[in-house]
Amino acid sequence: MMGNKTRKDRSPLIPFLVVGVVIGLLCLPAFASPQAQLHGILRDEAGHPVPGILVTLLARSSDQVLPILTRSNELGRIIFKNLESGSYWVLVKSAQYVTQKDLTVRILPGRTAALTLVLQSIFGLAGSDGRNVKLK
C-alpha cells in the first residue's frame, strides 16, 4: 500500500514537467542566431528593371559550399531570406548583361541589407558588334 501512495504523489508532477519542457523548447528560437535578408534590385544602364537574371550568393567562409540562388522578378527585384551573417560574393549570370567583378556584400545578424546592381549590356561594350562577344 505504501508503494501506491508514492506513485500517486509523483503523478501530479508530470504535467508540470511537460509544460516546462514545452516552454523551454519554444524559447530556443529566441537564443538562436538571428537570420538576415538581402533585398536588391537589378537595373540596366538606363535605369530600367532587368527581370529574369540569375543571382548567386556564395559565402566567403569555407563553412558553406552550396550557392544560394534566386532570379530577379518582373520588377528586377531579388530577395534572399534566412541568411547567416557574414560576407558573401554576389555573382550575376546573364547572356546579355555584365556587372562589376568581385562584388561582395556584408550581411549582419537580424538585419536586411540592400543592394542595387547596374548591369551593362554586353552589346554596348567597346569593340562589340552585337554578335560574337567574348568576355574575359
Side-chain angles (χ1 to χ4, degrees):
M1 189 163 194
M2 193 60 111
N4 288 340
K5 185 176 182 183
T6 305
R7 189 178 303 167
K8 287 182 180 180
D9 289 342
R10 288 185 187 171
S11 61
L13 295 178
I14 292 175
F16 292 112
L17 290 173
V18 171
V19 168
V21 169
V22 169
I23 290 173
L25 289 174
L26 290 174
C27 291
L28 279 178
F31 297 107
S33 97
Q35 299 293 298
Q37 296 185 29
L38 173 64
H39 291 204
I41 187 160
L42 281 62
R43 298 192 180 277
D44 63 16
E45 294 173 300
H48 300 109
V50 183
I53 302 296
L54 181 65
V55 180
T56 305
L57 288 184
L58 288 174
R60 293 189 67 166
S61 70
S62 61
D63 295 347
Q64 180 181 351
V65 294
L66 295 176
I68 306 167
L69 307 169
T70 193
R71 276 195 191 276
S72 57
N73 68 13
E74 64 277 354
L75 301 174
R77 297 187 187 275
I78 56 169
I79 298 175
F80 292 96
K81 295 181 179 180
N82 300 319
L83 298 173
E84 295 291 330
S85 62
S87 293
Y88 291 84
W89 281 298
V90 180
L91 307 170
V92 176
K93 279 290 203 186
S94 171
Q96 300 167 335
Y97 295 96
V98 293
T99 187
Q100 72 182 47
K101 294 181 181 179
D102 298 331
L103 179 63
T104 60
V105 63
R106 178 126 175 96
I107 304 297
L108 300 174
R111 305 287 302 267
T112 298
L115 177 70
T116 299
L117 294 173
V118 178
L119 306 179
Q120 182 181 10
S121 172
I122 62 170
F123 300 111
L125 293 176
S128 168
D129 62 1
R131 287 182 281 170
N132 295 320
V133 178
K134 292 184 179 178
L135 300 175
K136 291 186 178 184

